[in-house]
PDB file of all heavy atoms in Angstrom:
ATOM      1  N   LYS A 208      49.468-104.782 144.176  1.00  0.00           N
ATOM      2  CA  LYS A 208      48.741-103.614 144.682  1.00  0.00           C
ATOM      3  C   LYS A 208      47.858-103.963 145.883  1.00  0.00           C
ATOM      4  O   LYS A 208      47.310-103.061 146.512  1.00  0.00           O
ATOM      5  CB  LYS A 208      47.863-103.025 143.568  1.00  0.00           C
ATOM      6  CG  LYS A 208      48.610-102.697 142.284  1.00  0.00           C
ATOM      7  CD  LYS A 208      49.468-101.477 142.423  1.00  0.00           C
ATOM      8  CE  LYS A 208      48.654-100.216 142.430  1.00  0.00           C
ATOM      9  NZ  LYS A 208      49.501 -98.996 142.379  1.00  0.00           N
ATOM     10  N   LEU A 209      47.721-105.251 146.161  1.00  0.00           N
ATOM     11  CA  LEU A 209      46.873-105.659 147.271  1.00  0.00           C
ATOM     12  C   LEU A 209      47.553-105.407 148.604  1.00  0.00           C
ATOM     13  O   LEU A 209      48.786-105.420 148.705  1.00  0.00           O
ATOM     14  CB  LEU A 209      46.527-107.153 147.146  1.00  0.00           C
ATOM     15  CG  LEU A 209      45.754-107.593 145.906  1.00  0.00           C
ATOM     16  CD1 LEU A 209      45.544-109.110 145.929  1.00  0.00           C
ATOM     17  CD2 LEU A 209      44.411-106.872 145.811  1.00  0.00           C
ATOM     18  N   LYS A 210      46.751-105.204 149.628  1.00  0.00           N
ATOM     19  CA  LYS A 210      47.279-105.078 150.977  1.00  0.00           C
ATOM     20  C   LYS A 210      47.772-106.451 151.425  1.00  0.00           C
ATOM     21  O   LYS A 210      47.351-107.472 150.891  1.00  0.00           O
ATOM     22  CB  LYS A 210      46.179-104.563 151.917  1.00  0.00           C
ATOM     23  CG  LYS A 210      45.680-103.179 151.559  1.00  0.00           C
ATOM     24  CD  LYS A 210      44.510-102.781 152.461  1.00  0.00           C
ATOM     25  CE  LYS A 210      43.961-101.407 152.060  1.00  0.00           C
ATOM     26  NZ  LYS A 210      42.790-101.008 152.884  1.00  0.00           N
ATOM     27  N   PRO A 211      48.682-106.502 152.399  1.00  0.00           N
ATOM     28  CA  PRO A 211      49.246-107.801 152.818  1.00  0.00           C
ATOM     29  C   PRO A 211      48.202-108.849 153.161  1.00  0.00           C
ATOM     30  O   PRO A 211      48.319-110.001 152.765  1.00  0.00           O
ATOM     31  CB  PRO A 211      50.088-107.422 154.040  1.00  0.00           C
ATOM     32  CG  PRO A 211      50.505-106.011 153.776  1.00  0.00           C
ATOM     33  CD  PRO A 211      49.321-105.365 153.092  1.00  0.00           C
ATOM     34  N   ASN A 212      47.139-108.450 153.894  1.00  0.00           N
ATOM     35  CA  ASN A 212      46.123-109.433 154.261  1.00  0.00           C
ATOM     36  C   ASN A 212      45.326-109.887 153.032  1.00  0.00           C
ATOM     37  O   ASN A 212      44.910-111.049 152.927  1.00  0.00           O
ATOM     38  CB  ASN A 212      45.178-108.865 155.323  1.00  0.00           C
ATOM     39  CG  ASN A 212      44.478-107.602 154.864  1.00  0.00           C
ATOM     40  OD1 ASN A 212      45.059-106.761 154.189  1.00  0.00           O
ATOM     41  ND2 ASN A 212      43.210-107.448 155.232  1.00  0.00           N
ATOM     42  N   GLU A 213      45.103-108.973 152.058  1.00  0.00           N
ATOM     43  CA  GLU A 213      44.407-109.332 150.828  1.00  0.00           C
ATOM     44  C   GLU A 213      45.267-110.265 149.977  1.00  0.00           C
ATOM     45  O   GLU A 213      44.752-111.216 149.387  1.00  0.00           O
ATOM     46  CB  GLU A 213      44.069-108.071 150.040  1.00  0.00           C
ATOM     47  CG  GLU A 213      43.077-107.156 150.745  1.00  0.00           C
ATOM     48  CD  GLU A 213      42.873-105.841 150.017  1.00  0.00           C
ATOM     49  OE1 GLU A 213      43.760-105.476 149.201  1.00  0.00           O
ATOM     50  OE2 GLU A 213      41.855-105.173 150.258  1.00  0.00           O
ATOM     51  N   ARG A 214      46.566-109.981 149.920  1.00  0.00           N
ATOM     52  CA  ARG A 214      47.477-110.828 149.153  1.00  0.00           C
ATOM     53  C   ARG A 214      47.533-112.237 149.751  1.00  0.00           C
ATOM     54  O   ARG A 214      47.522-113.235 149.025  1.00  0.00           O
ATOM     55  CB  ARG A 214      48.872-110.195 149.133  1.00  0.00           C
ATOM     56  CG  ARG A 214      49.794-110.757 148.063  1.00  0.00           C
ATOM     57  CD  ARG A 214      51.117-110.016 148.034  1.00  0.00           C
ATOM     58  NE  ARG A 214      50.920-108.581 147.869  1.00  0.00           N
ATOM     59  CZ  ARG A 214      51.343-107.652 148.713  1.00  0.00           C
ATOM     60  NH1 ARG A 214      52.002-108.017 149.807  1.00  0.00           N
ATOM     61  NH2 ARG A 214      51.129-106.385 148.483  1.00  0.00           N
ATOM     62  N   LYS A 215      47.579-112.304 151.067  1.00  0.00           N
ATOM     63  CA  LYS A 215      47.591-113.600 151.737  1.00  0.00           C
ATOM     64  C   LYS A 215      46.307-114.374 151.430  1.00  0.00           C
ATOM     65  O   LYS A 215      46.345-115.586 151.170  1.00  0.00           O
ATOM     66  CB  LYS A 215      47.748-113.402 153.251  1.00  0.00           C
ATOM     67  CG  LYS A 215      47.755-114.695 154.037  1.00  0.00           C
ATOM     68  CD  LYS A 215      47.913-114.419 155.537  1.00  0.00           C
ATOM     69  CE  LYS A 215      47.896-115.711 156.329  1.00  0.00           C
ATOM     70  NZ  LYS A 215      48.033-115.443 157.795  1.00  0.00           N
ATOM     71  N   ARG A 216      45.177-113.671 151.417  1.00  0.00           N
ATOM     72  CA  ARG A 216      43.892-114.306 151.132  1.00  0.00           C
ATOM     73  C   ARG A 216      43.842-114.776 149.674  1.00  0.00           C
ATOM     74  O   ARG A 216      43.299-115.827 149.372  1.00  0.00           O
ATOM     75  CB  ARG A 216      42.762-113.332 151.429  1.00  0.00           C
ATOM     76  CG  ARG A 216      41.380-113.932 151.414  1.00  0.00           C
ATOM     77  CD  ARG A 216      40.411-113.075 152.179  1.00  0.00           C
ATOM     78  NE  ARG A 216      40.413-111.687 151.736  1.00  0.00           N
ATOM     79  CZ  ARG A 216      40.403-110.637 152.579  1.00  0.00           C
ATOM     80  NH1 ARG A 216      40.391-110.824 153.880  1.00  0.00           N
ATOM     81  NH2 ARG A 216      40.387-109.405 152.110  1.00  0.00           N
ATOM     82  N   PHE A 217      44.410-113.976 148.766  1.00  0.00           N
ATOM     83  CA  PHE A 217      44.416-114.366 147.356  1.00  0.00           C
ATOM     84  C   PHE A 217      45.214-115.652 147.163  1.00  0.00           C
ATOM     85  O   PHE A 217      44.741-116.602 146.514  1.00  0.00           O
ATOM     86  CB  PHE A 217      44.996-113.253 146.486  1.00  0.00           C
ATOM     87  CG  PHE A 217      45.159-113.670 145.047  1.00  0.00           C
ATOM     88  CD1 PHE A 217      44.060-113.699 144.191  1.00  0.00           C
ATOM     89  CD2 PHE A 217      46.395-114.049 144.552  1.00  0.00           C
ATOM     90  CE1 PHE A 217      44.208-114.108 142.873  1.00  0.00           C
ATOM     91  CE2 PHE A 217      46.551-114.450 143.228  1.00  0.00           C
ATOM     92  CZ  PHE A 217      45.442-114.478 142.400  1.00  0.00           C
ATOM     93  N   PHE A 218      46.422-115.703 147.693  1.00  0.00           N
ATOM     94  CA  PHE A 218      47.258-116.880 147.496  1.00  0.00           C
ATOM     95  C   PHE A 218      46.758-118.098 148.267  1.00  0.00           C
ATOM     96  O   PHE A 218      46.983-119.238 147.865  1.00  0.00           O
ATOM     97  CB  PHE A 218      48.706-116.572 147.895  1.00  0.00           C
ATOM     98  CG  PHE A 218      49.434-115.702 146.900  1.00  0.00           C
ATOM     99  CD1 PHE A 218      49.877-114.450 147.261  1.00  0.00           C
ATOM    100  CD2 PHE A 218      49.644-116.142 145.599  1.00  0.00           C
ATOM    101  CE1 PHE A 218      50.531-113.635 146.341  1.00  0.00           C
ATOM    102  CE2 PHE A 218      50.297-115.344 144.670  1.00  0.00           C
ATOM    103  CZ  PHE A 218      50.749-114.088 145.040  1.00  0.00           C
ATOM    104  N   GLY A 219      46.051-117.846 149.370  1.00  0.00           N
ATOM    105  CA  GLY A 219      45.584-118.960 150.172  1.00  0.00           C
ATOM    106  C   GLY A 219      44.202-119.478 149.816  1.00  0.00           C
ATOM    107  O   GLY A 219      43.910-120.665 149.992  1.00  0.00           O
ATOM    108  N   VAL A 220      43.340-118.580 149.280  1.00  0.00           N
ATOM    109  CA  VAL A 220      41.942-118.966 149.048  1.00  0.00           C
ATOM    110  C   VAL A 220      41.512-118.730 147.603  1.00  0.00           C
ATOM    111  O   VAL A 220      41.208-119.678 146.867  1.00  0.00           O
ATOM    112  CB  VAL A 220      40.994-118.188 150.002  1.00  0.00           C
ATOM    113  CG1 VAL A 220      39.534-118.592 149.743  1.00  0.00           C
ATOM    114  CG2 VAL A 220      41.365-118.446 151.454  1.00  0.00           C
ATOM    115  N   TYR A 221      41.498-117.472 147.188  1.00  0.00           N
ATOM    116  CA  TYR A 221      40.851-117.139 145.923  1.00  0.00           C
ATOM    117  C   TYR A 221      41.698-117.463 144.699  1.00  0.00           C
ATOM    118  O   TYR A 221      41.152-117.803 143.643  1.00  0.00           O
ATOM    119  CB  TYR A 221      40.429-115.658 145.921  1.00  0.00           C
ATOM    120  CG  TYR A 221      39.316-115.412 146.911  1.00  0.00           C
ATOM    121  CD1 TYR A 221      39.604-114.934 148.189  1.00  0.00           C
ATOM    122  CD2 TYR A 221      38.003-115.704 146.592  1.00  0.00           C
ATOM    123  CE1 TYR A 221      38.583-114.741 149.114  1.00  0.00           C
ATOM    124  CE2 TYR A 221      36.971-115.516 147.506  1.00  0.00           C
ATOM    125  CZ  TYR A 221      37.280-115.034 148.768  1.00  0.00           C
ATOM    126  OH  TYR A 221      36.272-114.859 149.679  1.00  0.00           O
ATOM    127  N   GLY A 222      43.020-117.369 144.810  1.00  0.00           N
ATOM    128  CA  GLY A 222      43.870-117.752 143.693  1.00  0.00           C
ATOM    129  C   GLY A 222      43.745-119.231 143.356  1.00  0.00           C
ATOM    130  O   GLY A 222      43.471-119.600 142.202  1.00  0.00           O
ATOM    131  N   PRO A 223      43.932-120.113 144.337  1.00  0.00           N
ATOM    132  CA  PRO A 223      43.764-121.553 144.064  1.00  0.00           C
ATOM    133  C   PRO A 223      42.362-121.891 143.565  1.00  0.00           C
ATOM    134  O   PRO A 223      42.203-122.718 142.670  1.00  0.00           O
ATOM    135  CB  PRO A 223      44.045-122.198 145.432  1.00  0.00           C
ATOM    136  CG  PRO A 223      44.960-121.236 146.111  1.00  0.00           C
ATOM    137  CD  PRO A 223      44.497-119.875 145.687  1.00  0.00           C
ATOM    138  N   TRP A 224      41.334-121.256 144.165  1.00  0.00           N
ATOM    139  CA  TRP A 224      39.966-121.495 143.667  1.00  0.00           C
ATOM    140  C   TRP A 224      39.854-121.108 142.204  1.00  0.00           C
ATOM    141  O   TRP A 224      39.278-121.852 141.393  1.00  0.00           O
ATOM    142  CB  TRP A 224      38.967-120.674 144.490  1.00  0.00           C
ATOM    143  CG  TRP A 224      37.637-120.589 143.820  1.00  0.00           C
ATOM    144  CD1 TRP A 224      36.603-121.486 143.888  1.00  0.00           C
ATOM    145  CD2 TRP A 224      37.201-119.562 142.904  1.00  0.00           C
ATOM    146  NE1 TRP A 224      35.567-121.083 143.084  1.00  0.00           N
ATOM    147  CE2 TRP A 224      35.898-119.927 142.465  1.00  0.00           C
ATOM    148  CE3 TRP A 224      37.777-118.398 142.417  1.00  0.00           C
ATOM    149  CZ2 TRP A 224      35.185-119.142 141.560  1.00  0.00           C
ATOM    150  CZ3 TRP A 224      37.065-117.620 141.516  1.00  0.00           C
ATOM    151  CH2 TRP A 224      35.775-117.993 141.097  1.00  0.00           C
ATOM    152  N   ALA A 225      40.381-119.933 141.849  1.00  0.00           N
ATOM    153  CA  ALA A 225      40.242-119.420 140.486  1.00  0.00           C
ATOM    154  C   ALA A 225      40.934-120.330 139.477  1.00  0.00           C
ATOM    155  O   ALA A 225      40.346-120.675 138.438  1.00  0.00           O
ATOM    156  CB  ALA A 225      40.828-118.006 140.415  1.00  0.00           C
ATOM    157  N   LEU A 226      42.152-120.720 139.741  1.00  0.00           N
ATOM    158  CA  LEU A 226      42.901-121.548 138.788  1.00  0.00           C
ATOM    159  C   LEU A 226      42.283-122.937 138.652  1.00  0.00           C
ATOM    160  O   LEU A 226      42.163-123.471 137.549  1.00  0.00           O
ATOM    161  CB  LEU A 226      44.359-121.644 139.214  1.00  0.00           C
ATOM    162  CG  LEU A 226      45.131-120.315 139.218  1.00  0.00           C
ATOM    163  CD1 LEU A 226      46.551-120.531 139.721  1.00  0.00           C
ATOM    164  CD2 LEU A 226      45.142-119.685 137.833  1.00  0.00           C
ATOM    165  N   ARG A 227      41.862-123.518 139.777  1.00  0.00           N
ATOM    166  CA  ARG A 227      41.262-124.854 139.735  1.00  0.00           C
ATOM    167  C   ARG A 227      39.946-124.839 138.975  1.00  0.00           C
ATOM    168  O   ARG A 227      39.709-125.675 138.082  1.00  0.00           O
ATOM    169  CB  ARG A 227      41.039-125.352 141.168  1.00  0.00           C
ATOM    170  CG  ARG A 227      40.463-126.775 141.243  1.00  0.00           C
ATOM    171  CD  ARG A 227      40.296-127.232 142.675  1.00  0.00           C
ATOM    172  NE  ARG A 227      39.301-126.456 143.409  1.00  0.00           N
ATOM    173  CZ  ARG A 227      39.582-125.547 144.335  1.00  0.00           C
ATOM    174  NH1 ARG A 227      40.842-125.291 144.647  1.00  0.00           N
ATOM    175  NH2 ARG A 227      38.617-124.894 144.963  1.00  0.00           N
ATOM    176  N   ASN A 228      39.096-123.881 139.285  1.00  0.00           N
ATOM    177  CA  ASN A 228      37.776-123.842 138.653  1.00  0.00           C
ATOM    178  C   ASN A 228      37.839-123.358 137.221  1.00  0.00           C
ATOM    179  O   ASN A 228      37.104-123.857 136.354  1.00  0.00           O
ATOM    180  CB  ASN A 228      36.838-122.951 139.471  1.00  0.00           C
ATOM    181  CG  ASN A 228      36.272-123.656 140.671  1.00  0.00           C
ATOM    182  OD1 ASN A 228      35.204-124.253 140.615  1.00  0.00           O
ATOM    183  ND2 ASN A 228      36.995-123.609 141.789  1.00  0.00           N
ATOM    184  N   GLY A 229      38.686-122.381 136.934  1.00  0.00           N
ATOM    185  CA  GLY A 229      38.800-121.900 135.567  1.00  0.00           C
ATOM    186  C   GLY A 229      39.277-122.973 134.612  1.00  0.00           C
ATOM    187  O   GLY A 229      38.798-123.077 133.477  1.00  0.00           O
ATOM    188  N   TRP A 230      40.204-123.813 135.081  1.00  0.00           N
ATOM    189  CA  TRP A 230      40.755-124.856 134.218  1.00  0.00           C
ATOM    190  C   TRP A 230      39.765-125.977 133.967  1.00  0.00           C
ATOM    191  O   TRP A 230      39.626-126.460 132.835  1.00  0.00           O
ATOM    192  CB  TRP A 230      42.038-125.410 134.833  1.00  0.00           C
ATOM    193  CG  TRP A 230      42.683-126.460 133.993  1.00  0.00           C
ATOM    194  CD1 TRP A 230      42.668-127.821 134.202  1.00  0.00           C
ATOM    195  CD2 TRP A 230      43.413-126.257 132.784  1.00  0.00           C
ATOM    196  NE1 TRP A 230      43.362-128.464 133.205  1.00  0.00           N
ATOM    197  CE2 TRP A 230      43.833-127.536 132.320  1.00  0.00           C
ATOM    198  CE3 TRP A 230      43.772-125.127 132.036  1.00  0.00           C
ATOM    199  CZ2 TRP A 230      44.583-127.692 131.147  1.00  0.00           C
ATOM    200  CZ3 TRP A 230      44.511-125.289 130.876  1.00  0.00           C
ATOM    201  CH2 TRP A 230      44.902-126.557 130.455  1.00  0.00           C
ATOM    202  N   LYS A 231      39.040-126.383 135.005  1.00  0.00           N
ATOM    203  CA  LYS A 231      38.163-127.550 134.848  1.00  0.00           C
ATOM    204  C   LYS A 231      36.788-127.189 134.309  1.00  0.00           C
ATOM    205  O   LYS A 231      36.066-128.060 133.817  1.00  0.00           O
ATOM    206  CB  LYS A 231      38.024-128.290 136.178  1.00  0.00           C
ATOM    207  CG  LYS A 231      37.162-127.595 137.233  1.00  0.00           C
ATOM    208  CD  LYS A 231      37.102-128.416 138.517  1.00  0.00           C
ATOM    209  CE  LYS A 231      36.259-127.737 139.585  1.00  0.00           C
ATOM    210  NZ  LYS A 231      34.843-127.635 139.224  1.00  0.00           N
ATOM    211  N   ALA A 232      36.412-125.926 134.373  1.00  0.00           N
ATOM    212  CA  ALA A 232      35.074-125.521 133.946  1.00  0.00           C
ATOM    213  C   ALA A 232      34.939-125.561 132.428  1.00  0.00           C
ATOM    214  O   ALA A 232      35.932-125.558 131.688  1.00  0.00           O
ATOM    215  CB  ALA A 232      34.755-124.111 134.450  1.00  0.00           C
ATOM    216  N   GLU A 233      33.701-125.609 131.962  1.00  0.00           N
ATOM    217  CA  GLU A 233      33.434-125.476 130.536  1.00  0.00           C
ATOM    218  C   GLU A 233      33.875-124.093 130.057  1.00  0.00           C
ATOM    219  O   GLU A 233      34.034-123.166 130.843  1.00  0.00           O
ATOM    220  CB  GLU A 233      31.935-125.656 130.272  1.00  0.00           C
ATOM    221  CG  GLU A 233      31.378-127.018 130.649  1.00  0.00           C
ATOM    222  CD  GLU A 233      31.937-128.143 129.785  1.00  0.00           C
ATOM    223  OE1 GLU A 233      32.237-127.879 128.590  1.00  0.00           O
ATOM    224  OE2 GLU A 233      32.092-129.256 130.294  1.00  0.00           O
ATOM    225  N   GLU A 234      34.090-123.961 128.755  1.00  0.00           N
ATOM    226  CA  GLU A 234      34.439-122.657 128.187  1.00  0.00           C
ATOM    227  C   GLU A 234      33.258-121.706 128.384  1.00  0.00           C
ATOM    228  O   GLU A 234      32.221-121.842 127.733  1.00  0.00           O
ATOM    229  CB  GLU A 234      34.741-122.790 126.697  1.00  0.00           C
ATOM    230  CG  GLU A 234      35.944-123.661 126.379  1.00  0.00           C
ATOM    231  CD  GLU A 234      37.225-122.848 126.255  1.00  0.00           C
ATOM    232  OE1 GLU A 234      37.201-121.632 126.562  1.00  0.00           O
ATOM    233  OE2 GLU A 234      38.246-123.429 125.858  1.00  0.00           O
ATOM    234  N   VAL A 235      33.407-120.730 129.275  1.00  0.00           N
ATOM    235  CA  VAL A 235      32.265-119.862 129.576  1.00  0.00           C
ATOM    236  C   VAL A 235      31.959-118.904 128.426  1.00  0.00           C
ATOM    237  O   VAL A 235      30.876-118.310 128.404  1.00  0.00           O
ATOM    238  CB  VAL A 235      32.501-119.072 130.883  1.00  0.00           C
ATOM    239  CG1 VAL A 235      32.544-120.011 132.070  1.00  0.00           C
ATOM    240  CG2 VAL A 235      33.766-118.237 130.803  1.00  0.00           C
ATOM    241  N   ILE A 236      32.864-118.769 127.457  1.00  0.00           N
ATOM    242  CA  ILE A 236      32.569-117.942 126.285  1.00  0.00           C
ATOM    243  C   ILE A 236      31.389-118.516 125.508  1.00  0.00           C
ATOM    244  O   ILE A 236      30.725-117.807 124.761  1.00  0.00           O
ATOM    245  CB  ILE A 236      33.811-117.822 125.368  1.00  0.00           C
ATOM    246  CG1 ILE A 236      33.620-116.740 124.296  1.00  0.00           C
ATOM    247  CG2 ILE A 236      34.138-119.163 124.723  1.00  0.00           C
ATOM    248  CD1 ILE A 236      33.545-115.343 124.823  1.00  0.00           C
TER     249      ILE A 236
END
Side-chain angles (χ1 to χ4, degrees):
K208 306 286 285 188
L209 298 178
K210 297 175 183 178
N212 59 322
E213 295 173 340
R214 197 176 305 122
K215 180 180 179 181
R216 191 159 53 224
F217 174 78
F218 286 117
V220 179
Y221 292 96
W224 165 85
L226 296 177
R227 182 179 65 254
N228 280 268
W230 181 256
K231 73 181 180 65
E233 297 294 328
E234 297 267 8
V235 294
I236 192 67

